[in-house]
Amino acid sequence: MFDDSALRRRTLLAALAGVAAVPVLGGPARAAVPKVYIDPGHGGTDPGAVGNGLQEKALTLDISLQLRSILLANWSVDVRMSRTTDITRSLAYRTDDANAWGADLFVSVHINSGGGTGFESYRYPTTDAATINLHNALHPRVIAGMRSIGSVTDRGLKTANFHVLRETTMPAVLTENLFIDTLADANLLKRADFITATAQGHAQGIASYLGLSTTNPPAFSVIVDNATAGRFTASTNWGTSSYSSQRYGADYRFANPTLASDAAWFKVDIPAAGNYRIEVRHPADPGYNGSAPHVVVTASGNQTVNLDQRSNGGVWRSLGTFPLAAGDRNLVAVSRWTSAAGYVVADAVRVTRV
């Protein structure tokens, strides 16, 4: 946001010196490593908008955490977030924290409500060229990411007197990522691949604004089946079946749930540190598990994603996009440790660099 009080101070000093003052447009000088501040909207006692079984605070955190992972995995940037868990943060905390940190840009992630449809983004009405440049870089790349998954209405670039746009001292944009109370939009927001694509669009927009290379990293994709030699391990508690035609390959593995550690592991050789999309494939059956834990060994620690294996069988299902370290190791586990009933199934894993 352009600080007119600073201009008045410069004008006074210039008048005393007998020279004309010239407004300085654009953000502050950047450090060698750009500082990106990500603000997942709402959180804690403030759920934000709700609808169709979704909460805004959970969606904004999911998008923002993936956005951070993508940025750190692909570019030399420093990232700070207003929250990384489900905690309450005041509006003043968010802007004060970003200002004190000296961020080069601020992106606030939100989900819309009110019966509309589509994506829109905001900047402060009276702003500088740097903020306009950020807005122009971010908006089209987010909408492009969304449209790689489904049909999304572009509601345009807008302005608003929002606190996080008004009180930040660096270029700031707020995104409204679909309408939680519109069924078609909510169905997209429930898709893991849509959330990842939305995060990727934000990352591409930020990288473009900062002048970072947005070329795609070297292509890499590999599938590890439960029968791939030297790439799958499981105890004798896991049976083998070829019953379902939805299986990948000749067979799949299954086991009863138990409150003990007995995971089936898929081993993957990751060629270089970076951001990777991880998908799993399994047959589905009403008698299979409703909350099967899948553990991903990421560069920042293990992350668990629970999948309902009673439906959506025979297709690749995204667990999300994760920062991975280079090396050959056990990467994805299907765990029996769940209180949900029904067989836990381990079939195949696909890992793709994004």
Side-chain angles (χ1 to χ4, degrees):
M1 181 175 67
F2 180 64
D3 185 350
D4 59 354
S5 64
L7 175 58
R8 287 194 296 271
R9 289 193 296 273
R10 289 196 299 273
T11 303
L12 176 59
L13 291 173
L16 293 173
V19 297
V22 178
V24 178
L25 298 180
R30 293 184 195 134
V33 177
K35 301 170 79 171
V36 178
Y37 196 95
I38 304 170
D39 173 38
H42 307 280
T45 58
D46 175 14
V50 295
N52 292 298
L54 298 171
Q55 288 188 318
E56 181 178 4
K57 68 174 183 177
L59 292 167
T60 61
L61 185 59
D62 192 358
I63 293 169
S64 297
L65 288 171
Q66 291 199 42
L67 169 57
R68 179 181 67 173
S69 295
I70 294 168
L71 288 171
L72 293 176
N74 291 285
W75 295 285
S76 179
V77 295
D78 197 0
V79 178
R80 186 177 178 92
M81 296 176 62
S82 60
R83 64 184 183 96
T84 57
T85 58
D86 184 21
I87 59 175
T88 304
R89 293 295 198 202
S90 68
L91 293 176
Y93 172 89
R94 299 166 195 260
T95 53
D96 289 350
D97 190 50
N99 293 341
W101 186 52
D104 291 305
L105 65 92
F106 181 104
V107 175
S108 189
V109 179
H110 287 258
I111 310 297
N112 225 330
S113 65
T117 184
F119 171 74
E120 61 192 20
S121 59
Y122 291 87
R123 66 176 184 265
Y124 190 64
T126 305
T127 192
D128 59 16
T131 301
I132 294 172
N133 290 340
L134 173 61
H135 202 184
N136 289 339
L138 194 63
H139 185 98
R141 288 167 176 83
V142 175
I143 195 75
M146 291 177 168
R147 285 176 171 172
S148 71
I149 303 300
S151 177
V152 173
T153 299
D154 186 349
R155 297 171 61 88
L157 294 81
K158 302 181 178 183
T159 62
N161 185 24
F162 296 144
H163 175 98
V164 295
L165 304 180
R166 183 182 66 248
E167 301 301 325
T168 41
T169 58
M170 70 292 300
V173 171
L174 183 147
T175 62
E176 291 279 9
N177 300 276
L178 304 194
F179 282 73
I180 202 168
D181 54 352
T182 297
L183 182 59
D185 284 17
N187 285 339
L188 285 174
L189 291 168
K190 290 177 180 178
R191 293 180 55 171
D193 56 353
F194 182 84
I195 296 299
T196 297
T198 300
Q200 289 172 335
H202 281 76
Q204 290 290 324
I206 290 169
S208 176
Y209 168 74
L210 292 173
L212 307 175
S213 171
T214 56
T215 56
N216 293 326
F220 172 82
S221 185
V222 64
I223 294 174
V224 178
D225 180 50
N226 76 93
T228 304
R231 295 281 137 188
F232 179 84
T233 55
S235 75
T236 56
N237 294 317
W238 290 79
T240 303
S241 176
S242 58
Y243 169 76
S244 176
S245 61
Q246 295 178 340
R247 67 186 182 274
Y248 182 89
D251 54 34
Y252 56 96
R253 309 299 291 274
F254 67 95
N256 284 309
T258 182
L259 296 181
S261 180
D262 183 22
W265 281 98
F266 294 86
K267 187 177 183 181
V268 183
D269 189 1
I270 301 300
N275 214 54
Y276 293 80
R277 181 175 63 252
I278 297 183
E279 301 162 286
V280 296
R281 184 162 169 162
H282 62 83
D285 186 271
Y288 291 167
N289 202 272
S291 185
H294 290 66
V295 182
V296 181
V297 180
T298 79
S300 56
N302 292 355
Q303 295 192 33
T304 301
V305 179
N306 295 319
L307 285 188
D308 186 346
Q309 296 186 323
R310 297 170 298 182
S311 60
N312 297 315
V315 297
W316 290 107
R317 300 181 65 186
S318 175
L319 299 182
T321 298
F322 307 90
L324 303 182
D328 192 10
R329 64 191 177 281
N330 285 335
L331 184 70
V332 180
V334 183
S335 175
R336 298 173 60 202
W337 199 322
T338 175
S339 58
Y343 284 136
V344 176
V345 175
D347 191 359
V349 167
R350 181 166 66 185
V351 180
T352 304
R353 181 157 187 175
V354 296

